[in-house]
Every structure is written in structure tokens, then in C-alpha cells.
Amino acid sequence: MEQQDTPEDAVMTRIGQAVMLLHGGDREEARHRFASLWAEISEAGDALHRCTLAHYMADAQDDPDDELAWDLRALGAAEGLSEEPTDRPEQSLAVRAFYPSLHLDLAADYIKLRRPEAARVHLDRARAATDALADDGYGYGVREAIDRLERTLGAG
């Protein structure tokens, strides 16, 4: 029997398709698809969708201020999701594991914008949240990125 996508899975699938475009180098088309999805789900939409979409939309930005704005939206959605009661424990775990990356991205944004104090705050928050990361490729990659950014910030 073929499994049907739920509407929520369909949104995540569409986000994933746009991410593939982004990683394939088609930033403009990825941005266009992310913007269309954002218009559909809106600020009141599912917090996990908003967090995921804003997180990747930030990566598609050319302007550091726009990137920061989208990363702040992603963090706001994650914080809203963390505060909502949920009957999906896997969603809570996914969001907890997302925090190190969200704060890491914000730290990188603030470095680009020459705001080292704000970068330090988010880098410290990223490091403090790493206990939620698994000992897998993703977890190791985020931890290594935190270490690299720490060296960059220290050298700056």
C-alpha cells in the first residue's frame, strides 16, 4: 500500500526541494520558492515549518541584514514551538537539536555585520545547546562549526 503525504509532510517536502535548489547553486529560484511557501504558511503557520523555512531562507539571502532577519524569524519560531504543548515528542526533540545551529547562524550573521558582542552571545548559546545534538555526522558538524567560528571570533 502506498503511503500518502500528510499536508505537513508535503510542506516539508517542498522545503526540501527548495533546499536542493539552494545547495545546487540556484539561489534565486530557491529564494522564490521559499518566499512562495512563506506566503502560504504565513506568520501564523506551523512553527516547525516556519522555523525550518526561515532557517533555509536565511541561507539564500545575499544581504547580511536580510540573512539576519530570516535567522531571527527562525529562532522566534523555534522558541514559539518550544513553548507550545505538543503531542508530538519527536517535534520537541527536533527543535532542541536545531538550537545550536540557529544560534550558530546568528553568531555568523553578527560577525558579518561587525557586531562581535552579539556574535559572542549567540556563539555561547550555540555551545550551551550542544547537549541536544546526537553523536552523528550532523552533531559533529555543528560542533566543529562552533569551534571554527569561535576561532574566527577570537582572531577578530
Side-chain angles (χ1 to χ4, degrees), residues 43-147:
E43 289 281 344
D46 179 87
L48 183 60
H49 292 160
R50 288 184 293 117
C51 178
T52 305
L53 180 55
H55 179 66
Y56 288 112
M57 178 63 131
D59 293 341
Q61 301 306 304
D62 295 325
D63 181 274
D65 287 312
D66 292 339
E67 186 175 1
L68 174 62
W70 281 105
D71 279 330
L72 288 169
R73 283 185 188 104
L75 180 62
E79 289 171 343
L81 184 59
S82 297
E83 295 167 4
E84 292 176 6
T86 182
D87 57 352
R88 295 170 19 199
E90 72 281 357
Q91 192 176 47
S92 295
L93 291 173
V95 171
R96 283 191 62 234
F98 220 6
Y99 275 110
S101 179
L102 293 171
H103 284 293
L104 175 65
D105 287 351
L106 283 164
D109 295 342
Y110 285 121
I111 287 172
K112 288 177 194 172
L113 294 168
R114 292 185 163 86
R115 294 177 56 191
E117 301 82 17
R120 169 61 56 205
V121 167
H122 285 284
L123 191 58
D124 290 345
R125 289 178 184 166
R127 188 171 303 286
T130 58
D131 64 328
L133 294 172
D135 289 330
D136 60 8
Y138 174 76
Y140 294 132
V142 171
R143 287 182 188 97
E144 288 173 7
I146 291 170
D147 290 342

Side-chain angles (χ1 to χ4, degrees), residues 4-24:
Q4 296 286 321
D5 276 346
T6 64
E8 291 182 50
D9 292 337
V11 171
M12 293 304 270
T13 297
R14 290 171 61 203
I15 292 170
Q17 291 167 340
V19 169
M20 287 190 303
L21 287 169
L22 178 63
H23 291 167

